[in-house]
């Protein structure tokens, strides 16, 4: 008996739920509930580009009541160039009868904001396109973070490039200084060699004058001394 009553209660609840849903569909309350609950922007336009439907998120975006948005065109809400781009996208949706997704930078309240949106053809019961509906999500903060990261990466690359350049310059200076030191050492060695040779020649000449018989032997000894000095 209890099981039978429970089944009857569930059946009654389901019947009541279906009745309420039918009432919502019939009255348009379901659509209104969806529009009000949606965090994203929802809108619809007729073939003249006039807004015929918008949700509260759209209203909050412009800080305008819905009554002041309905019936307006993009030219009345956005700068001329931006409105032209939006209208071109609308025309493509209507002409091709296909959905269109895009990322749009729009000026609202004097500030640039970025949105990703999808527009789809809106048809009547016979299938004829009578306008379009759209769904948009703001991604301004995400784009700002992405741009900041890109700037940081550029700064990091610049710092790394500057460090590499500085290290290269320091290495070049080290090599230049080493080459200069080696050249100075070589010049000093050559000067010392010339001095030693001069001394040897002077000693040889002096010895020849004093003792011509031992001059050749003394000269060879002096030359050997020079050769030993050069090896050192």
């Amino acid at each position: 008996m209890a099981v039978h009553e429970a089944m009857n209660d569930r059946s009654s609840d389901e019947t009541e739920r279906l009745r309420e849903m039918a009432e919502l569909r019939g009255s348009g309350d379901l659509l209104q509930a969806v529009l009000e609950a949606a965090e994203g922007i929802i809108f619809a336009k007729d073939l003249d580009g006039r807004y015929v439907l918008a949700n509260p998120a759209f209203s909050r975006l412009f800080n305008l009541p819905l009554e002041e948005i309905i019936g307006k065109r993009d030219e009345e809400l956005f700068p001329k160039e931006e409105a032209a781009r939006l209208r071109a996208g609308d025309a493509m949706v209507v002409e091709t009868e296909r959905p269109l997704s895009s990322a749009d930078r729009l000026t609202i309240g004097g500030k640039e904001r970025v949105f990703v949106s999808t527009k789809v053809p809106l048809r009547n019961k016979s299938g004829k396109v009578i306008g379009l509906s759209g769904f948009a999500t703001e991604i301004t903060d995400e784009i700002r973070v992405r741009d900041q990261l890109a700037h940081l990466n550029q700064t990091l690359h610049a710092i790394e490039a500057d460090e590499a350049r500085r290290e290269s310059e320091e290495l070049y200076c080290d090599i230049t200084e080493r080459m200069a030191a080696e050249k100075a050492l070589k010049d000093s060695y050559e000067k010392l060699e010339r001095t030693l040779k001069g001394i040897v020649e002077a000693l040889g000449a002096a010895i020849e004058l004093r003792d011509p018989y031992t001059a050749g032997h003394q000269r060879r000894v002096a030359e050997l001394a020079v050769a030993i000095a050069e090896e050192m």
Side-chain angles (χ1 to χ4, degrees):
M1 184 70 175
V3 172
H4 182 69
E5 290 178 354
M7 292 180 63
N8 285 338
D9 289 341
R10 285 198 295 272
S11 177
S12 176
D13 291 342
E14 181 65 15
T15 300
E16 179 65 16
R17 187 183 69 81
L18 292 174
R19 185 185 66 78
E20 290 175 351
M21 291 294 293
E23 289 179 355
L24 284 172
R25 292 191 185 97
S27 64
D29 290 343
L30 178 61
L31 174 60
Q32 188 61 34
V34 170
L35 292 175
E36 290 180 357
E39 294 183 1
I41 298 164
I42 302 174
F43 59 89
K45 301 178 185 179
D46 61 19
L47 294 178
D48 290 330
R50 295 184 183 279
Y51 286 93
V52 296
L53 180 145
N55 68 335
F58 198 122
S59 174
R60 290 192 295 272
L61 179 65
F62 288 92
N63 195 28
L64 291 173
L66 288 175
E67 294 78 12
E68 294 186 22
I69 294 174
I70 302 303
K72 291 186 182 298
R73 294 189 175 94
D74 287 324
E75 292 82 358
E76 299 174 78
L77 298 173
F78 303 100
K80 183 177 179 180
E81 296 78 6
E82 296 175 359
R85 289 201 303 271
L86 294 175
R87 293 292 292 131
D90 295 350
M92 186 176 296
V93 172
V94 173
E95 291 171 5
T96 64
E97 299 187 8
R98 295 176 63 85
L100 175 67
S101 295
S102 63
D104 303 300
R105 292 180 178 269
L106 302 172
T107 304
I108 301 173
K111 297 181 179 179
E112 183 182 75
R113 303 171 72 166
V114 187
F115 301 84
V116 289
S117 64
T118 298
K119 299 175 182 178
V120 298
L122 192 61
R123 306 174 187 273
N124 60 14
K125 292 182 179 180
S126 64
K128 181 181 178 181
V129 175
I130 58 173
L132 61 89
S133 60
F135 315 88
T137 301
E138 184 171 5
I139 58 169
T140 304
D141 291 339
E142 290 83 350
I143 293 296
R144 184 180 297 112
V145 171
R146 186 199 66 181
D147 291 344
Q148 290 173 347
L149 288 174
H151 177 70
L152 289 175
N153 285 332
Q154 290 177 354
T155 302
L156 179 60
H157 291 327
I159 292 173
E160 291 175 345
D162 184 64
E163 290 180 350
R165 178 186 57 78
R166 187 165 54 251
E167 291 175 357
S168 177
E169 290 177 350
E170 290 175 353
L171 179 60
Y172 175 78
C173 290
D174 290 343
I175 293 174
T176 302
E177 290 175 358
R178 181 174 178 179
M179 291 176 65
E182 290 177 349
K183 184 177 184 305
L185 181 60
K186 181 180 178 183
D187 292 343
S188 178
Y189 174 77
E190 291 176 349
K191 182 178 180 181
L192 177 60
E193 183 180 9
R194 289 193 300 270
T195 301
L196 287 173
K197 285 184 178 181
I199 293 172
V200 169
E201 290 175 357
L203 287 173
I207 291 170
E208 282 186 354
L209 290 173
R210 292 174 54 192
D211 189 355
Y213 297 102
T214 59
H217 174 71
Q218 296 292 340
R219 186 182 300 109
R220 286 192 294 272
V221 171
E223 290 176 351
L224 179 61
V226 172
I228 292 172
E230 289 176 351
E231 290 298 325
M232 293 176 63

